[in-house]
Amino acid sequence: MCRWVIFKGRDEILLADLLLRPAHSILTQSYDCRLRLDQRPHNGDGFGVGYYTNPELGQGPCIFTSTTPAWNCTNLARLAKKTTSSLVFAHVRATTTGALSESNCHPFSYHSLMWMHNGHIAGFKKIKRKFVEAIKDEYFLAVEGSTDSEWAFALYLDTLDSLGANLKSPPPNGFGHTLLRAAMLKTIARLNEFLTAAGVTEPSLLNFGLSDGHSVVCTRYVSSKTDEAASLYFSSGTRFHEYKPGGFYRMERHDKGQDLVMVASEPLTFERGDWVTVPTNSILSINKQTVLIHPIMDQYYQPDPSFSRSAAFAESKGMVAGREGGKEGTGKRGVEG
């Protein structure tokens, strides 16, 4: 499966310090995934980087995608060494649905909104027509590729629209994390309705990342009450820097405040204390630099905190359950992080 990372900071970061230089950067993960347990340790089916710039240049993100493997793209290295941003999405792809093409590379965007996905929608071919029937023409026509991920984004756009948002004319300070989170929860509910109606019983792995340039919403989710979701971690602090030559980065915390937050499929560093595991079937929101984690309380919610979900399904898809390399985040559910 794929890997992604999100950075949101009070100040801008040089993309090279996020994407290239850390010892286990997203670039490294494109050819050396420590948490992939299948026989395919590479994420070499293209990559993408999206980042927000000066609002005077427009509210939408700048997105660079390529079907070249990230480790072999000279242009990525050139751009990353000269580009800064305070809100960055990056994604390396291993195909599950859709051909190898730039139109299928994440992240995807629509006006101010940016989206990416790690996982898969089970039985997608059985429910694809449901997407077409359920969404407005403008979001149907916005789909350029053939991935389940982009169709999930189209469903999210339609859902956010149905909640009263004007997607073509977003507010100056964004839609707000509360509305974005509500739309994400409703999108997952609609997806589950499609799957149930089609008789699909295989779990779907839905690690989504979404931003409007101001707030960020992410999910770690599996449509199962007994299985673990794909891995997801977050890290927050006041400074992310190289403390020793050779790509040895760490997160520093000088006070109780948070100047930056990162969310990633795999930790970018080997400092165990830097990373917190996002609990399975949770939704994480970043408002300014405050992290909020809430449980997704639907039919797959597991109320027993002592219940141990099985990692076998996630491992069969090449995505370990996600308890290695970071502290458990269950104590942060529904509270500020």
Side-chain angles (χ1 to χ4, degrees):
M1 291 290 177
C2 311
R3 290 293 181 268
W4 55 252
V5 63
I6 294 171
F7 171 91
K8 187 177 187 300
R10 194 182 308 275
D11 300 315
E12 296 185 347
I13 189 172
L14 182 68
L15 265 58
D17 286 327
L18 178 69
L19 309 181
L20 308 181
R21 293 170 179 166
H24 198 53
S25 68
I26 193 78
L27 176 70
T28 302
Q29 291 175 35
S30 68
Y31 62 83
D32 181 19
C33 277
R34 300 297 176 91
L35 299 187
R36 277 194 75 148
L37 301 184
D38 58 359
Q39 300 301 310
R40 188 185 178 195
H42 295 165
N43 292 285
D45 297 326
F47 70 90
V49 180
Y51 53 92
Y52 290 89
T53 59
N54 190 319
E56 294 181 358
L57 301 177
Q59 291 183 304
C62 175
I63 293 181
F64 170 54
T65 58
S66 175
T67 56
T68 302
W71 68 80
N72 199 35
C73 183
T74 303
N75 286 332
L76 173 62
R78 289 170 175 165
L79 289 170
K81 292 173 183 176
K82 297 294 183 180
T83 305
T84 62
S85 176
S86 60
L87 209 172
V88 183
F89 278 32
H91 186 282
V92 291
R93 183 171 182 243
T95 57
T96 55
T97 302
L100 178 61
S101 69
E102 287 191 7
S103 62
N104 286 334
C105 291
H106 310 220
F108 306 103
S109 67
Y110 185 86
H111 293 278
S112 67
L113 296 164
M114 182 161 56
W115 172 278
M116 57 187 178
H117 173 210
N118 178 28
H120 83 299
I121 298 174
F124 176 63
K125 291 182 179 179
K126 294 182 179 181
I127 64 169
K128 187 174 180 180
R129 183 177 292 275
K130 289 289 186 181
F131 283 87
V132 177
E133 296 170 348
I135 64 178
K136 289 184 175 181
D137 287 349
E138 58 197 285
Y139 308 125
F140 167 75
L141 293 172
V143 176
E144 297 181 355
S146 56
T147 64
D148 54 351
S149 305
E150 191 178 9
W151 280 103
F153 183 35
L155 186 65
Y156 179 87
L157 296 175
D158 184 79
T159 304
L160 185 59
D161 181 306
S162 74
L163 294 177
N166 184 345
L167 276 57
K168 292 183 179 179
S169 183
N173 295 318
F175 297 105
H177 66 98
T178 301
L179 180 59
L180 296 178
R181 182 169 61 243
M184 184 69 80
L185 293 173
K186 188 174 179 181
T187 298
I188 290 174
R190 293 176 75 184
L191 263 173
N192 283 332
E193 289 172 4
F194 295 168
L195 293 165
T196 299
V200 177
T201 57
E202 178 186 338
S204 293
L205 293 162
L206 308 178
N207 283 18
F208 294 136
L210 179 282
S211 180
D212 63 351
H214 300 272
S215 303
V216 173
V217 174
C218 306
T219 59
R220 182 183 181 214
Y221 184 87
V222 59
S223 57
S224 168
K225 206 167 184 176
T226 58
D227 294 300
E228 277 281 14
S231 58
L232 193 67
Y233 303 85
F234 81 92
S235 181
S236 61
T238 53
R239 186 184 178 209
F240 182 66
H241 74 110
E242 187 177 31
Y243 67 92
K244 187 170 70 172
F248 292 92
Y249 280 67
R250 68 183 171 200
M251 183 72 75
E252 288 188 353
R253 299 172 182 85
H254 293 155
D255 50 46
K256 293 183 179 180
Q258 296 177 163
D259 293 329
L260 60 98
V261 181
M262 293 186 291
V263 187
S265 302
E266 294 191 23
L268 305 189
T269 73
F270 300 117
E271 303 288 333
R272 290 182 63 88
D274 283 355
W275 298 90
V276 178
T277 304
V278 177
T280 283
N281 285 22
S282 295
I283 186 164
L284 180 150
S285 310
I286 307 174
N287 176 35
K288 297 182 179 178
Q289 274 61 250
T290 298
V291 177
L292 304 168
I293 300 180
H294 298 86
I296 299 176
M297 301 181 71
D298 61 5
Q299 66 267 44
Y300 301 114
Y301 174 64
Q302 179 51 256
D304 182 0
S306 64
F307 182 83
S308 180
R309 287 175 176 263
S310 170
F313 179 72
E315 290 173 359
S316 73
K317 299 298 181 180
M319 296 179 286
V320 77
R323 287 205 172 114
E324 299 179 16
K327 300 175 288 185
E328 272 297 323
T330 50
K332 287 184 174 287
R333 285 192 176 206
V335 299
E336 294 187 2

